[in-house]
Amino acid sequence: MRVHLYTGSLALVRRSGVGQAVEHQRAMLQSAGVEVVTDWSKPADAVHINTVLPDAPLAALRARLRGERVVFYGHSTEQDFRHSFVGSDRLAPLFKRWICFCYNCGDVVLTPTPYARGILQGYGLKRPVVALSNGVDTRFFAPSAARGAAFRQKYGLPPQRKAVVSAGHFMQRKGIFDFIALARALPQAEFFWFGYTEPALVPAPVRRAMAAAPANLHFPGFVSQADLRDAYCGADLFCFCSEEETEGIVVLEALACGVPVLVRDIPVYAGWLRDGENVYKAAAPADWPRLAGAILSGALPDVTAAGRRVAEARALPRLGQQLCEVYRTLGPARPGRLPLAE
């Protein structure tokens, strides 16, 4: 079997979770013995499309005319588009109509969690929607005292100084206001937010909040996967305040590295992340400093072993086999069959 990972316009989102998801798909497929190509020079059994940029439906049309099945990845919803970039709230209804058009250009829509599948099914899509995790490379992201020590040395953290890490774009939806407030509430710890967003896309309230952030909160910018892994390994807590997700790849990475994880209690985590069993969940604003402080002081039970098992259940080789099952259910494509003509 040969699968084409469509990379047109991918450079625009390579530093996001979508870009990371594409690399995970490559690893999943290769682990299952599937040949992966990234251009149109070789015919493929299926084409993966991961973006909803203007070239995406054109790529789907080209694939269908070549007789290739189209797997559209549903990374985005209207809900997680809101409270993100400048103007996103005003554009959200139009964005919903656009992503529905894009997703209907495929033969099947893959989305990371049952929660995301329920949202997309509620949009009335004409295509089947299948939940399949983005997965995590549990060999690369794994506990390591040496890598953790390298992170702490790089940022000048003495052994007794606690470190709290998060990652994502600079946006309200990712919970940056709560993370800033948490750093202010816990001055005894150092806080790090890894990631970067073009300043022109960052809403003014977010820019102002970042400019007024306390001295114990650091914004190192976008870093390599290796540097981010070291940060997970060296942190005393990974705190992900996101208000809406379709899964949260960084949460899986942190769990795989064996760091305690504190997330917002939102529906996407229902059924697989359990409060007090493999993570801790904050349901109200006052919960963030209370729970973070208790985790850092060792007052709460250590649930990192169970968290690692959550990541292992979503290891890339296991998901590669599940992805191949999706292909088998689709069957062969027929040249010239256009999705919107059915």
Side-chain angles (χ1 to χ4, degrees):
M1 176 181 285
R2 178 185 294 152
V3 171
H4 176 182
L5 290 186
Y6 177 66
T7 57
S9 72
L10 187 62
L12 297 176
V13 296
R14 191 171 296 280
R15 291 185 171 186
S16 70
V18 174
Q20 192 59 29
V22 174
E23 293 306 312
H24 287 187
Q25 291 162 33
R26 184 193 309 276
M28 288 180 201
L29 294 167
Q30 291 174 341
S31 72
V34 175
E35 181 184 357
V36 178
V37 298
T38 56
D39 59 62
W40 297 100
S41 62
K42 294 182 179 180
D45 298 287
V47 177
H48 284 201
I49 300 178
N50 282 271
T51 72
V52 290
L53 294 168
D55 62 309
L58 296 176
L61 174 62
R62 181 175 183 178
R64 297 297 289 268
L65 291 173
R66 287 160 55 101
E68 300 168 348
R69 287 294 192 182
V70 176
V71 179
F72 229 113
Y73 274 80
H75 297 294
S76 300
T77 65
E78 178 189 11
Q79 286 83 342
D80 76 0
F81 183 72
R82 292 183 179 275
H83 307 317
S84 54
F85 304 111
V86 171
S88 62
D89 287 5
R90 292 191 298 273
L91 293 173
L94 291 176
F95 181 75
K96 176 183 175 181
R97 294 174 61 183
W98 171 251
I99 62 175
C100 287
F101 170 75
C102 289
Y103 295 160
N104 279 326
C105 289
D107 291 288
V108 64
V109 180
L110 294 189
T111 196
T113 55
Y115 168 74
R117 179 182 62 199
I119 290 176
L120 294 180
Q121 288 175 330
Y123 292 172
L125 296 181
K126 300 174 184 178
R127 305 294 157 222
V129 183
V130 177
L132 182 68
S133 172
N134 285 312
V136 61
D137 186 344
T138 53
R139 291 178 295 181
F140 183 84
F141 290 100
S144 170
R147 290 169 184 152
F151 161 73
R152 299 184 72 87
Q153 181 179 11
K154 179 176 181 178
Y155 291 97
L157 296 173
Q160 70 276 11
R161 187 69 167 170
K162 300 296 185 180
V164 181
V165 165
S166 194
H169 283 294
F170 303 149
M171 58 178 64
Q172 177 183 339
R173 177 178 68 81
K174 289 294 184 181
I176 195 166
F177 293 140
D178 289 301
F179 195 75
I180 292 171
L182 181 58
R184 188 171 287 115
L186 298 177
Q188 69 272 26
E190 295 295 323
F191 287 73
F192 297 85
W193 181 289
F194 292 97
Y196 177 77
T197 303
E198 288 292 336
L201 298 177
V202 180
V206 174
R207 294 198 303 270
R208 288 194 295 266
M210 292 176 64
N216 64 324
L217 173 52
H218 313 280
F219 296 98
F222 180 82
V223 297
S224 69
Q225 286 287 286
D227 285 341
L228 187 57
R229 174 194 58 190
D230 292 355
Y232 294 139
C233 291
D236 299 284
L237 172 64
F238 178 77
C239 186
F240 196 53
C241 306
S242 182
E243 300 170 354
E244 180 69 25
E245 291 290 323
T246 53
E247 183 176 39
I249 289 178
V250 293
V251 173
L252 291 177
E253 293 170 350
L255 291 170
C257 287
V259 60
V261 171
L262 174 62
V263 297
R264 189 183 300 275
D265 189 5
I266 54 177
V268 69
Y269 302 131
W272 61 286
L273 293 184
R274 296 180 173 85
D275 186 33
E277 295 185 24
N278 45 40
V279 299
Y280 287 96
K281 296 183 178 181
D287 290 341
W288 293 108
R290 177 179 62 82
L291 291 170
I295 293 169
L296 294 175
S297 68
L300 289 175
D302 183 354
V303 297
T304 55
R308 170 72 186 180
R309 289 193 292 271
V310 170
E312 289 171 342
R314 291 157 179 78
L316 299 182
R318 181 174 301 185
L319 295 175
Q321 296 299 324
Q322 296 177 32
L323 185 53
C324 288
E325 285 298 320
V326 173
Y327 299 146
R328 282 189 274 271
T329 64
L330 290 176
R334 298 193 304 273
R337 185 169 64 88
L338 303 183
L340 299 182
E342 294 180 355

